[in-house]
């Protein structure tokens, strides 16, 4: 077998006790096949059903026994037939014996591949609720030992997914079956997972196995005399949609070897000579620097690049409480000791346990590879293993630099008047709502665990992709019931807790208060004093309206007029009926300011234009859009600097309404020196 090729045998329990979740079993197995058709077309899959009425397998024919086990599909390369074999699974009539199914699946792999090396795996899905038949010789535990020895010999792994709905009482048979499965885990490379809902079942089976690849192998340098050999892997990484590829249908239908590949070539032409193609050696990149473009060659860019040496260095330790959770960025990495290196294992375990006991974390400087253009600064958190034969390790999270942090300042609730503070009844109603929607209630398993919750968008995409391959004109099907439980609150909980929802609706009186809304925007733009804010908040409210009108208000048409343009602009900012409303308001204000300057006579509109520009400047600082304001002001200056309106810009500078610098807004790319050099003062006339 090829190194990246996998052979998988699905062992599916279709007995009477599994009938309620067979639809979800079909879905999860079909998704696995769909992903293999996209990412691993050479993989092979076999399907074994147990708990069936019939018996059809090679061991039953040759040796007898192994009843109610059917080989629904031999081990073959994945294709449309694999998908069909997993649709409309038969509803069995006999209790399933998972040990017989494991032996049949193991026999299929050994017959197919013998002693060939490669990735071979079995996946068992059952509820393990029924008694197993006694073996001809020895005990059931002895039988598990024999099977596990064969699995280790042929390097075959197994995933066991045990589905039992919450509330099902355990009995002696179930406990015995669980012990046998856990014995598999101890004796061979077997993973056992228990789930209690159809949604968790969808995420329990890894439908796509990603080959673990190290991002770093080398020394964790604690000091110049103390270095630990470690390997670093990615612990989490976002699963994305498969890349869409361009497909050409120009090749003849009779050409079986046509690749249908589309090649894209780019040509660069001069603006002055549109018919002349500019060759690569005559092209150079340019970067905007204020109003000019600065050309930088590739050789210069390489010389400017920071090229740190590969390595991981410990900078120091700090209390765990000093690192806030919201500082974590990007993916999570796992630091493990070098496999087989006893000294590294002991050193990592000692360091991790000491940090855990002292409640400390480490700060690291990481450069994963030679030639890397950036340095990762992050926090190393100890991960103490609770599983036998699994070593201690670390988790690594990248921390932000100063440029990466966004500061959002909000007024404290304590500064609000007592009339705006929640009453005891309102607080109790809010507390009950939070308790009602608790995903980890006391005494119950957590709902929507990340390990068992699939991405509903990906699940739906692969299902639709398979449908489109069979029916090109098919419409997008509705969202599956199990996936709805991920994207929407549980309807059973909502119905059961209707009194709690009604109580919170009665506790909070919904009112519409346009003046109050305008006052909040005025507060944000003009920085009203705390006493004035209290007065604004105590203004009388408008009449009570329906909840639908509050949640889905009609869009209010607001335009910037000549009577009071600044207030009109602030009203537009306050509306926010869509995500682009702030941008729309700033564009309208820019048009209005340009029109004022253009239509001015002897500077009669300069005062009003300046007031509008000051309002626009404050809004761009608050909304973190300094580049929008700086670009507009630069274009305005370039257009009117030679006319009589040049006096306007001197007037503007005297009111400190120039460009927005980095000191005022971190997102700005304008320095204080650039602000001082903007719009130079005219030289005095001398005779």
């Amino acid at each position: 077998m090829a190194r990246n090729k996998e052979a998988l045998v699905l062992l599916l329990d279709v007995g009477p006790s599994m009938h309620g979740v067979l639809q979800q079993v079909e879905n999860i197995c079909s998704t696995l096949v769909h992903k293999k058709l996209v990412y691993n077309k050479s993989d092979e899959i076999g399907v074994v059903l147990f708990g069936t009425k019939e018996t059809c397998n090679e061991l039953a024919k040759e040796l007898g026994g192994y009843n109610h086990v059917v080989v629904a599909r031999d081990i073959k390369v994945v294709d449309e037939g694999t998908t069909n074999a997993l649709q409309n699974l038969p509803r069995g009539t006999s209790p399933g014996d998972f040990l017989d199914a494991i032996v049949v699946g193991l026999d299929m792999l050994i017959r197919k591949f013998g002693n060939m090396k490669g990735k071979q795996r079995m996946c068992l899905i059952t509820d393990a609720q029924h008694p197993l038949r006694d073996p001809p010789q020895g005990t059931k535990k002895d039988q598990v030992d024999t099977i596990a020895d064969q699995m280790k010999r042929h390097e075959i792994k197994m995933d066991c997914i045990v589905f039992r709905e919450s509330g099902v009482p355990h009995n002696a048979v179930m406990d015995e079956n669980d012990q046998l499965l856990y014995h598999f885990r101890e004796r061979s490379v077997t993973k056992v997972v228990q789930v209690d809902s159809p949604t968790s079942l969808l995420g329990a089976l890894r439908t796509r196995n990603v080959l673990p690849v190290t991002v770093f192998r080398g020394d964790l340098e604690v000091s110049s005399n103390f270095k630990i050999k470690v390997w670093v892997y990615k612990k989490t990484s976002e699963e994305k949609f498969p890349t869409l590829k361009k497909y050409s249908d120009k090749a003849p239908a009779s050409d079986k070897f046509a690749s249908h590949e589309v090649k894209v070539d780019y040509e660069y032409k001069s603006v002055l000579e549109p018919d002349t193609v500019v060759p690569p050696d005559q092209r150079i990149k340019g970067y905007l620097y204020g109003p000019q473009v600065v050309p930088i060659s590739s050789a210069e860019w390489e010389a400017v690049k920071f090229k740190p040496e590969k390595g991981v260095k410990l900078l120091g330790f700090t209390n765990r409480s000093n690192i806030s959770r919201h500082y974590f960025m990007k993916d999570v990495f796992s630091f493990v000791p070098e496999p087989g290196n006893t000294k590294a294992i002991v050193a990592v375990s000692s360091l991790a346990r000491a940090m855990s006991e002292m409640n400390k974390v480490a700060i690291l400087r990481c450069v994963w590879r030679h030639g890397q253009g950036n340095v990762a600064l992050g926090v190393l958190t100890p991960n103490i293993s609770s599983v036998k034969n699994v070593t201690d390790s670390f988790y690594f999270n990248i921390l932000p630099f100063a440029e990466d942090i966004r500061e959002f300042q909000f007024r404290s609730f304590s500064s609000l008047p007592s009339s705006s503070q929640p009453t005891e009844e309102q607080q109790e109603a809010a507390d009950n709502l939070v308790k009602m929607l608790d995903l980890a209630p006391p005494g119950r398993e957590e709902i929507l665990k990340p390990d068992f919750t699939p991405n509903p968008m990906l699940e739906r995409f692969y299902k639709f992709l398979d449908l489109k391959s069979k029916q090109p004109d098919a419409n997008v099907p509705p969202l599956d019931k199990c996936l709805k439980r991920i994207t929407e609150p549980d309807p059973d909980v909502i119905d059961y807790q209707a009194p709690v929802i009604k109580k919170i609706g009665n506790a909070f009186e919904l009112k519409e208060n346009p003046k109050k809304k305008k006052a909040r925007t005025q507060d944000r733009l003009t920085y009203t004093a705390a006493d004035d804010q209290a007065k604004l908040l105590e203004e009388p409210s408008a009449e009570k309206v329906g909840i639908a009108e509050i949640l889905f208000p009609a869009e209010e048409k607001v335009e910037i007029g000549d009577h009071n343009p600044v207030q009109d602009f602030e009203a537009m900012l306050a509306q926010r009926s869509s995500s682009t409303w702030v941008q729309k308001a700033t564009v309208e204000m820019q048009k209005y300011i340009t029109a004022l300057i253009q239509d001015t006579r002897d500077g009669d509109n300069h005062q009003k234009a300046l007031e509008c520009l000051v309002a626009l400047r404050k809004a761009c600082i608050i909304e973190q859009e300094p580049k929008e304001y700086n670009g507009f002001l630069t274009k305005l200056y370039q257009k009117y600097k030679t006319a009589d309106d040049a006096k306007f810009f001197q007037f503007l500078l005297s009111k400190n309404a120039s460009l927005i610098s980095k000191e005022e807004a971190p997102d700005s790319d304008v320095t204080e020196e650039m602000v001082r050099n903007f719009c130079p003062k005219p030289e005095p006339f001398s005779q």
Side-chain angles (χ1 to χ4, degrees):
M1 287 179 65
R3 177 174 177 267
N4 294 327
K5 182 178 176 181
E6 181 188 53
L8 171 66
V9 176
L10 297 172
L11 312 174
L12 309 180
D13 188 349
V14 296
S17 58
M18 288 286 290
H19 289 180
V21 291
L22 282 185
Q23 181 61 53
Q24 282 69 44
V25 173
E26 293 176 3
N27 291 342
I28 185 176
C29 294
S30 297
T31 302
L32 182 145
V33 174
H34 300 160
K35 288 188 178 182
K36 285 190 177 294
L37 287 170
V38 174
Y39 296 105
N40 308 99
K41 300 176 184 179
S42 300
D43 284 5
E44 300 183 42
I45 291 182
V47 181
V48 175
L49 309 178
F50 62 100
T52 57
K53 181 179 180 180
E54 303 82 8
T55 299
C56 182
N57 62 80
E58 292 299 323
L59 290 179
K61 296 175 182 177
E62 296 175 3
L63 305 176
Y66 302 99
N67 297 322
H68 309 295
V69 179
V70 172
V71 177
R73 179 178 172 84
D74 291 325
I75 302 174
K76 298 179 182 178
V77 176
V78 289
D79 56 13
E80 188 175 342
T82 312
T83 307
N84 295 335
L86 294 168
Q87 296 299 316
N88 301 317
L89 294 176
R91 272 49 180 171
T93 58
S94 301
D97 188 322
F98 63 81
L99 279 184
D100 281 352
I102 292 174
V103 173
V104 171
L106 182 63
D107 177 68
M108 290 172 63
L109 289 170
I110 295 175
R111 286 175 187 263
K112 176 81 174 181
F113 302 105
N115 295 322
M116 292 174 58
K117 299 295 183 181
K119 292 190 291 186
Q120 301 178 43
R121 182 165 62 105
M122 294 186 291
C123 178
L124 171 68
I125 302 179
T126 180
D127 56 8
Q129 292 188 16
H130 305 290
L132 308 178
R133 68 178 179 86
D134 293 324
Q137 296 178 351
T139 63
K140 297 174 185 176
K141 191 173 181 180
D142 295 335
Q143 187 180 12
V144 170
D145 289 334
T146 303
I147 298 172
D149 290 340
Q150 288 294 320
M151 291 173 59
K152 290 174 66 176
R153 178 184 172 187
H154 294 277
E155 299 182 1
I156 298 174
K157 301 178 181 179
M158 183 167 66
D159 295 330
C160 298
I161 301 174
V162 181
F163 174 79
R164 293 199 189 113
E165 289 185 304
S166 57
V168 175
H170 272 249
N171 53 41
V173 172
M174 295 164 65
D175 291 337
E176 181 188 25
N177 291 341
D178 290 346
Q179 291 299 323
L180 292 175
L181 291 174
Y182 291 139
H183 193 57
F184 266 116
R185 185 175 64 185
E186 295 172 359
R187 289 297 313 276
S188 61
V189 185
T190 299
K191 180 181 178 181
V192 181
V193 173
Q194 290 201 5
V195 295
D196 60 359
S197 69
T199 304
S200 298
L201 180 60
L202 285 177
L205 177 62
R206 297 295 178 186
T207 53
R208 183 186 174 208
N209 286 327
V210 180
L211 186 67
V213 178
T214 56
V215 297
F216 176 83
R217 295 187 185 188
D219 294 331
L220 168 58
E221 188 174 336
V222 181
S223 68
S224 58
N225 299 323
F226 181 23
K227 300 178 182 180
I228 306 173
K229 294 289 184 182
V230 295
W231 287 12
V232 182
Y233 295 89
K234 272 194 175 183
K235 179 65 176 175
T236 62
S237 183
E238 181 185 359
E239 178 80 2
K240 298 181 179 179
F241 286 94
T243 305
L244 295 175
K245 297 182 179 179
K246 294 181 175 64
Y247 178 88
S248 173
D249 59 355
K250 299 298 183 182
S254 58
D255 187 357
K256 297 181 180 180
F257 301 100
S259 63
H260 299 281
E261 181 181 358
V262 177
K263 293 184 178 180
V264 180
D265 293 326
Y266 293 93
E267 287 186 347
Y268 295 85
K269 297 185 178 181
S270 171
V271 177
L272 300 177
E273 300 178 9
D275 297 331
T276 304
V277 178
V278 181
D281 58 345
Q282 297 181 17
R283 299 198 301 261
I284 191 172
K285 288 185 177 181
Y287 294 87
L288 288 174
Y289 186 71
Q292 62 179 332
V293 177
V294 180
I296 299 180
S297 66
S298 57
E300 291 172 327
W301 183 241
E302 282 297 320
V304 169
K305 279 184 178 179
F306 178 53
K307 299 177 180 178
E309 294 183 359
K310 175 185 175 181
V312 175
K313 295 184 179 181
L314 186 142
L315 303 181
F317 298 94
T318 185
N319 291 330
R320 188 190 291 259
S321 59
N322 292 336
I323 307 297
S324 301
R325 177 63 182 84
H326 62 266
Y327 283 155
F328 292 174
M329 299 176 64
K330 299 183 179 179
D331 303 323
V332 183
F333 297 85
S334 179
F335 277 64
V336 299
E338 184 181 54
N341 189 330
T342 306
K343 292 183 178 179
I345 294 172
V346 173
V348 167
S349 180
S350 302
L351 185 61
R353 291 176 183 271
M355 290 169 59
S356 179
E357 291 176 5
M358 301 173 67
N359 202 26
K360 298 282 187 179
V361 293
I363 305 299
L364 299 187
R365 171 191 180 274
C366 300
V367 180
W368 305 125
R369 60 185 182 276
H370 291 292
Q372 182 174 318
N374 63 313
V375 175
L377 194 71
V379 56
L380 198 66
T381 307
N383 175 40
I384 308 304
S385 174
S386 59
V387 180
K388 187 179 179 181
N389 298 329
V390 176
T391 61
D392 297 333
S393 59
F394 294 99
Y395 289 140
F396 178 76
N397 293 88
I398 296 177
L399 295 176
F401 291 101
E403 295 83 357
D404 304 322
I405 297 176
R406 299 292 180 265
E407 292 291 345
F408 300 101
Q409 297 181 357
F410 300 97
R411 190 173 57 190
S412 172
F413 285 121
S414 60
S415 64
L416 298 176
S418 57
S419 59
S420 298
Q421 300 285 351
T423 64
E424 291 185 4
E425 180 187 2
Q426 291 174 331
Q427 189 63 58
E428 182 184 0
D431 292 344
N432 291 334
L433 179 67
V434 173
K435 293 177 183 177
M436 179 191 80
L437 297 176
D438 187 3
L439 295 178
R444 288 185 56 188
E445 286 287 330
E446 180 184 352
I447 304 170
L448 299 182
K449 285 184 178 180
D451 288 347
F452 303 137
T453 304
N455 186 328
M457 294 187 296
L458 289 174
E459 293 287 324
R460 194 181 191 196
F461 169 78
Y462 287 113
K463 190 172 183 178
F464 182 58
L465 184 64
D466 179 67
L467 180 62
K468 286 285 285 185
S469 68
K470 301 172 183 175
Q471 304 175 26
D473 298 329
N475 295 322
V476 179
L479 194 64
D480 185 81
K481 183 179 178 181
C482 285
L483 297 181
K484 275 188 176 182
R485 291 186 175 271
I486 302 174
T487 59
E488 300 175 3
D490 190 340
D492 296 335
V493 174
I494 299 298
D495 293 341
Y496 179 72
Q497 299 288 358
V500 176
I501 299 174
K502 184 177 180 180
K503 186 176 180 180
I504 196 170
N506 295 334
F508 290 90
E509 187 177 10
L510 299 178
K511 296 180 179 180
E512 185 180 21
N513 188 353
K515 291 183 179 179
K516 185 178 178 181
K517 185 183 293 185
K518 185 179 291 186
R520 286 202 300 271
T521 305
Q522 188 76 13
D523 168 38
R524 292 168 63 246
L525 295 175
T526 61
Y527 305 100
T528 310
D531 296 339
D532 297 330
Q533 293 171 2
K535 292 179 182 178
L536 290 170
L537 290 168
E538 291 173 357
E539 288 183 1
S541 303
E543 291 181 317
K544 187 175 179 180
V545 297
I547 187 170
E549 297 178 30
I550 293 292
L551 295 176
F552 307 101
E555 186 171 305
E556 184 180 345
K557 293 184 178 180
V558 183
E559 297 179 353
I560 297 178
D562 294 329
H563 179 65
N564 201 331
V566 173
Q567 288 188 7
D568 293 341
F569 174 59
E570 292 171 358
M572 291 184 72
L573 289 174
Q575 185 168 331
R576 294 177 180 270
S577 59
S578 68
S579 59
T580 60
W581 192 254
V582 173
Q583 183 181 2
K584 182 179 179 181
T586 55
V587 170
E588 291 296 322
M589 181 55 100
Q590 290 174 12
K591 291 180 181 178
Y592 185 77
I593 294 171
T594 304
L596 282 176
I597 298 176
Q598 188 173 354
D599 299 339
T600 188
R601 293 182 180 180
D602 299 327
D604 56 344
N605 288 340
H606 284 177
Q607 180 64 35
K608 180 180 286 189
L610 179 62
E611 292 175 358
C612 294
L613 203 61
V614 170
L616 177 63
R617 191 177 190 275
K618 289 182 178 180
C620 287
I621 292 175
I622 293 172
E623 299 294 343
Q624 297 186 351
E625 295 289 349
K627 294 181 181 179
E628 185 77 19
Y629 175 82
N630 292 341
F632 169 67
L633 188 59
T634 302
K635 291 179 182 178
L636 206 63
Y637 176 67
Q638 294 294 332
K639 186 175 182 180
Y640 295 106
K641 65 180 179 180
T642 58
D644 293 338
D645 297 309
K647 298 178 182 179
F648 167 74
F649 293 98
Q650 300 300 327
F651 185 38
L652 178 145
L653 292 178
S654 66
K655 300 297 183 180
N656 296 323
S658 184
L659 299 174
I660 301 173
S661 66
K662 286 185 177 180
E663 283 69 17
E664 295 177 280
D667 290 342
S668 174
D669 52 7
V670 175
T671 63
E672 285 291 340
E673 184 179 357
M674 295 171 66
V675 173
R676 287 193 297 269
N677 295 334
F678 180 75
C679 186
K681 297 181 179 180
E683 297 181 0
F685 177 76
S686 60
Q687 292 183 344

